[in-house]
Amino acid sequence: FQEGDASNLEQLPDKAFDLVISIFGAMFAPKPFDVAKEIVRVTRPGGRIVMGNWIPNDPTLVAQILKISSSYTPPPPEGFVSPMTWGVERNVIERFVAAGIPAEKISFARDTFTFNFSGTPSEFVDEFRKYYGPTMNAFEAAEKNGRSEELRDKLEVLFDSQNRSPRKDATSIPATFLRVTVQV
């Protein structure tokens, strides 16, 4: 593994990969046009780029977590581009076309990722609080305003309502995402 910035892959040579995959990763990098340009640059002609991106305003888990979390955090800085814009087809097309890919070489499918957790939905909220950046930031801001219990309660209601596990001690929550495939 090599740590890097998806909007600046300077450590990687041009046309180095047959397949470039980003599942819920590159969408969080700043400068989305640079992200598209860089992942196109490192993909060989005839290769593929596959992205999994969360969809804004989707009724499933992640979009709803972000909606709830954003109501507890300060507004983003000027010029901030929401990572969720990668879940909008026209934005994805615009970014890859600007990177030199013809629009007809970009395809989309709705797909489902299922979060499976061997604990209760409430315990799963704790995991998001500890490890998922937007939720971590929301709790940090909510704690400063004495609203962390309110945030926790809202997230627990969300996780409980979307849990499909038949067991009380387990969590299984499907979440819809946009699967993007780019033929280079």
Side-chain angles (χ1 to χ4, degrees):
F1 287 96
Q2 190 172 354
E3 189 174 323
D5 174 355
S7 59
N8 181 1
L9 300 172
E10 64 185 10
Q11 74 277 20
L12 299 175
D14 293 355
K15 301 175 174 98
F17 302 98
D18 294 319
L19 178 63
V20 174
I21 299 173
S22 173
I23 305 300
F24 320 123
M27 68 178 285
F28 288 98
K31 304 176 187 171
F33 282 89
D34 290 350
V35 169
K37 181 182 79 148
E38 282 294 278
I39 60 179
V40 166
R41 180 184 66 76
V42 301
T43 306
R44 289 186 180 121
R48 278 184 308 148
I49 298 165
V50 178
M51 296 181 78
N53 302 324
W54 298 120
I55 303 167
N57 303 313
D58 188 77
T60 61
L61 185 70
V62 177
Q64 295 306 305
I65 289 171
L66 294 172
K67 181 179 178 182
I68 291 168
S69 295
S70 70
S71 67
Y72 289 84
T73 54
E78 191 173 321
F80 173 79
V81 178
S82 170
M84 297 297 281
T85 60
W86 277 103
V88 178
E89 293 179 17
R90 72 178 178 280
N91 292 341
V92 174
I93 291 169
E94 180 183 28
R95 292 164 185 171
F96 281 110
V97 165
I101 301 295
E104 62 272 8
K105 296 212 171 214
I106 306 165
S107 62
F108 303 95
R110 302 273 171 158
D111 212 336
T112 302
F113 176 83
T114 301
F115 290 92
N116 289 308
F117 181 72
S118 60
T120 66
S122 177
E123 293 168 330
F124 198 29
V125 169
D126 289 337
E127 294 298 302
F128 271 78
R129 183 178 186 165
K130 285 187 243 176
Y131 301 112
Y132 186 57
T135 309
M136 294 163 59
N137 294 338
F139 272 104
E140 182 182 326
E143 285 169 9
K144 291 177 184 172
N145 298 316
R147 298 177 63 203
S148 61
E149 287 306 311
E150 177 186 312
L151 172 57
R152 181 177 182 69
D153 291 345
K154 285 183 179 180
L155 290 173
E156 284 186 4
V157 167
L158 172 67
F159 281 55
D160 282 334
S161 70
Q162 295 207 3
N163 185 18
R164 301 294 174 255
S165 175
R167 297 178 27 208
K168 296 287 184 205
D169 64 342
T171 306
S172 182
I173 302 176
T176 305
F177 68 93
L178 182 67
R179 183 170 21 97
V180 178
T181 303
V182 179
Q183 299 294 328
V184 177

